[in-house]
Amino acid sequence: MSKKKFKTTPRKWIGNKPEILQNNSTEYVQMMTLAYDNRIYNQVLHNGHISLELIIKAAFCKYKGKQPYGHDIFRLVGYTINSEPIFKSIHNDPNTNIRNSFSIIYAAWDMQYRYREHRVQELEAKQYLNAFEEAYKWIKTKYLN
């Protein structure tokens, strides 16, 4: 049996448009909520992660004109906006809920879970849902409004 290489169809690069990233992020928040409401708890983590990843990239793109590469939330919040790493802004914020939300998120999801079985229970999913929503709103309010 011969090995065939997969060919990919070239995609039109949308460029660095924060509004597109933000709109896509909002749709992932909606999908995260639908997943929770329909008891598909693993998808709360998956969609929440992508939502937060995209809103961070939208914010970075707005200020820097380009988006960072990668999927790791902890790595993405290490990037600097307005002369301060996002991570530092999170932890300097007097709102302790946002620090707690990001702490939950850092440990919540690894993109490699797409390839493994990882079962999330209802109470855990609710905690993740709240954390992702809080983080999404914080990034959007701080950097995009």
Side-chain angles (χ1 to χ4, degrees), residues 29-90:
V29 168
Q30 293 168 342
M31 291 305 297
M32 176 182 64
T33 304
L34 284 171
Y36 181 80
D37 291 344
N38 286 281
R39 304 175 63 92
I40 309 170
Y41 300 129
N42 283 19
Q43 289 301 312
V44 170
L45 272 74
H46 186 72
N47 286 282
H49 180 99
I50 296 171
S51 169
L52 192 55
E53 174 189 334
L54 292 176
I55 201 74
I56 291 169
K57 289 179 177 183
F60 191 81
C61 186
K62 177 182 175 183
Y63 289 89
K64 303 288 186 171
K66 60 183 179 176
Q67 56 181 298
Y69 177 79
H71 305 291
D72 185 317
I73 300 294
F74 189 70
R75 185 172 180 200
L76 290 172
V77 297
Y79 287 105
T80 299
I81 295 178
N82 292 336
S83 303
E84 183 173 65
I86 300 167
F87 182 83
K88 189 173 180 182
S89 294
I90 293 163

Side-chain angles (χ1 to χ4, degrees), residues 88-104:
K88 189 173 180 182
S89 294
I90 293 163
H91 289 278
N92 285 340
D93 194 298
N95 177 354
T96 57
N97 286 343
I98 195 60
R99 292 191 298 260
N100 292 339
S101 291
F102 271 93
S103 292
I104 290 166

